[in-house]
Amino acid sequence: MVTLKYKPMQYDWKKYEDKLKALREFLEKADALSPEVEAKLYLPGEEGAEKDAKVPYILLCYYTKENVCHKRKIELFEYYLQEDLKDLISKITSMAEEFAMEIEHSEYGGG
């Protein structure tokens, strides 16, 4: 029997630094994605990022009334970063809205 090991595809995310900088600036605006969701961009190796992060990622945080933070990580693989910035922001906004709806449904909708 042959066992195949999955090896995540690596890419040079640094060639997208300008786009990542613009994305970070957008996310730092108050309520950039949604009034309920905080979003922060992390780059591999920077302070605050997960030590094993190999690709940039966005950490979404939704606070409930009890001040509990529900988190979702969106890893920015190359196929995301190859998109136009406007399309990338639109896609991330949709993910954040879907995340907020899931939390609201589970916390307040009895789901």
Side-chain angles (χ1 to χ4, degrees), residues 35-36 41 44 48-49 60 69 72 86 101 109:
E36 301 87 13
L41 174 66
L60 303 177
C69 176
R72 175 161 298 163
K86 182 179 175 184
M101 285 190 300

Side-chain angles (χ1 to χ4, degrees), residues 74-90:
I74 301 172
E75 293 180 303
L76 298 174
F77 296 106
E78 189 168 26
Y79 57 87
Y80 285 125
L81 295 177
Q82 289 173 339
E83 293 187 20
D84 177 73
L85 181 61
K86 182 179 175 184
D87 293 336
L88 176 59
I89 288 172
S90 177

